[in-house]
Amino acid sequence: MSKEIRIKKGLDIPLEGGASDIEVKDTLTERFAIAPDDYPGYTWKAAVKAGDTVKAGEPLLYAKEDENLCLTSPVSGTVQEVHRGERRKIEYVSVDSDGKEEQYDFGKLSDKELQFAALKRSGLFAMMRQRPFDIVPMVDIKPRDIFVTAFDTAPLAKPLLTDAMLPYLETGLKTLAQYTDGKVYLCVAAGSGITSKAAEVYEFSGPHPAGNAGTQIAAISPVNKGETVWTLDAVTAVRIGKLMSEGKLDYTARVALTGADMKNPHIAITKIGASLSTLLKGEVNSEKGHVRIISGNVLTGIKEDMENGWLRWPYRQVTAIDEGDNADEFMGWATVSPKKYSVKRSFPAFLKGLNKPFKFDARIKGGHRAFIMSNEYDKVFPMDIYPEYLLKAIMAGDIERMEQLGIYEVAPEDFALPEFVDTSKQELQKIVREGLDYLRKETI
């Protein structure tokens, strides 16, 4: 029997460009890449060099702190480049697919130790996150609980699971349960009908961020100082289940191509780390102006170059919206056009209802200024935390105050909606990321 939780605070942003349920298999992508920045908490070193041949599932990078913890190739083929930036930092490792789909065989994983070693070597362990700090979990710390999220409420997100994935999901949950003395929680959307014998199921309803791990943890069992929990999405749990069942990895990614500037929003079937230049070829409507390509959703995704960008972790959405740098509006910001959206009743659009899709662009539409204490964050922030005061403590570097205000519970994505509604135009997610990194550096 699942338990129900209703999230009341939040906001569903009515964005144009929702994807249909039509699935189109991508057969054009020939180049794939893994970016170390998507896996914070470790220093990643190259395990290959340009020209090396690899199978799907063989390491491309390994962690300096633990050489058995790896990031692996999603396809078989030839390493095209180990691309480095400033100070020779690895920005990505790219692989040209040979089309053969040869896979590394992890063999029969018959016991707990072999399975954990396979999780680390396969790259699946790096797809999980740890709270506190929102990093790849520390391998030597046993989590209090594990939270698996089986739905996404971000703008234009599509369902994570298909019926064919459910048996593997149960196997993945059983595997994860071995590594905690606490519980595995499976968080699903209300009415989904998903059940499990290996995990305690909670049904969530309400607006975004009901699908965020932070919201679910806060509603079920908050993280206190000295405690550690792991989080992952259900697709990763499915990959874990398939690895344990078959000894091989599944790098398939169901990616929603969304946004008002996507010609035909749909679900593309590709693989982890696909090149955006081929994934989006002929898909983006760029005739009328500049388009921003976002790997992910508009709140937490990463801006990517369409010609040189990649499908980034967590590999389930690409959004295309107007850049807005060539906009020419009568009266500019002061216009009362019904086409403008506001969470406040600042524009007449609310008379028609704010659930009607709006065409957003990437403009901030305001200037950076000091914090305005208006409680506007609280209206979209469902966690039992005072967000303004926590942010100020982070900016001041006051560790004791940060701990008192609940920094161990949060991740940058939890502040995405407050950043959207912020009158002060502060980069809240960046502030939280820097605060978590500072706290970890000073306390560990």
Side-chain angles (χ1 to χ4, degrees), residues 39 41-45 62-69 120 138-139 440:
Y39 307 93
Y42 289 86
T43 302
W44 299 99
K45 300 290 186 180
Y62 65 90
K64 178 182 177 181
E65 298 82 357
D66 184 347
E67 294 187 2
N68 295 314
L69 180 60
K120 289 168 59 181
M138 297 291 100
V139 296
R440 181 170 174 247

Side-chain angles (χ1 to χ4, degrees), residues 18-307:
S20 68
D21 291 328
I22 298 173
E23 295 187 354
V24 178
K25 187 169 184 179
D26 168 42
T27 58
L28 299 176
T29 303
E30 298 177 352
R31 184 164 294 173
F32 300 80
I34 298 297
D37 282 350
D38 293 342
Y39 307 93
Y42 289 86
T43 302
W44 299 99
K45 300 290 186 180
V48 293
K49 61 182 183 297
D52 287 352
T53 57
V54 293
K55 294 180 180 179
E58 289 192 328
L60 297 179
L61 301 120
Y62 65 90
K64 178 182 177 181
E65 298 82 357
D66 184 347
E67 294 187 2
N68 295 314
L69 180 60
C70 302
L71 304 177
T72 56
S73 175
V75 292
S76 61
T78 304
V79 176
Q80 191 265 340
E81 182 183 14
V82 179
H83 187 81
R84 297 180 184 269
E86 294 181 2
R87 296 187 175 183
R88 294 188 55 76
K89 175 187 174 183
I90 299 174
E91 295 185 347
Y92 61 82
V93 179
S94 58
V95 179
D96 287 337
S97 173
D98 58 13
K100 298 178 181 178
E101 298 190 6
E102 293 184 46
Q103 288 206 12
Y104 179 84
D105 191 346
F106 288 83
K108 187 175 181 180
L109 305 172
S110 56
D111 59 54
K112 177 180 175 181
E113 286 72 24
L114 285 175
Q115 291 174 356
F116 191 69
L119 286 180
K120 289 168 59 181
R121 192 190 178 285
S122 66
L124 293 177
F125 190 85
M127 293 183 193
M128 298 191 283
R129 291 294 177 267
Q130 166 193 302
R131 305 240 177 159
F133 309 126
D134 189 43
I135 57 175
V136 174
M138 297 291 100
V139 296
D140 56 347
I141 299 177
K142 179 175 284 191
R144 184 203 70 192
D145 299 306
I146 300 174
F147 291 81
V148 181
T149 301
F151 69 110
D152 191 353
T153 54
L156 303 181
K158 299 296 290 183
L160 299 184
L161 299 175
T162 63
D163 291 342
M165 296 179 180
L166 296 181
Y168 294 114
L169 174 62
E170 186 70 4
T171 303
L173 295 174
K174 289 178 181 178
T175 302
L176 290 167
Q178 301 175 99
Y179 306 114
T180 176
D181 293 330
K183 296 180 179 179
V184 176
Y185 295 101
L186 178 62
C187 303
V188 304
S192 67
I194 297 174
T195 61
S196 173
K197 295 180 180 179
E200 193 167 313
V201 180
Y202 278 80
E203 292 191 355
F204 282 80
S205 60
H208 185 65
N212 279 8
T215 301
Q216 296 159 7
I217 294 169
I220 298 171
S221 181
V223 180
N224 298 309
K225 183 177 180 180
E227 296 178 338
T228 297
V229 301
W230 291 353
T231 68
L232 64 153
D233 62 25
V235 177
T236 302
V238 168
R239 292 188 177 113
I240 292 172
K242 199 160 190 177
L243 176 64
M244 300 308 155
S245 301
E246 302 175 3
K248 295 182 179 180
L249 281 165
D250 182 5
Y251 287 98
T252 303
R254 298 174 69 253
V255 185
L257 305 184
T258 63
D261 284 332
M262 203 70 73
K263 291 181 180 178
N264 178 34
H266 64 274
I267 297 174
I269 309 300
T270 182
K271 292 185 182 296
I272 287 171
S275 169
L276 294 184
S277 62
T278 47
L279 181 64
L280 300 181
K281 186 176 182 179
E283 298 290 347
V284 177
N285 183 13
S286 57
E287 289 82 6
K288 295 183 180 180
H290 300 161
V291 176
R292 176 169 293 195
I293 303 298
I294 304 168
S295 184
N297 64 70
V298 292
L299 293 175
T300 63
I302 298 171
K303 180 183 176 181
E304 286 284 301
D305 181 86
M306 187 166 136
E307 295 304 317

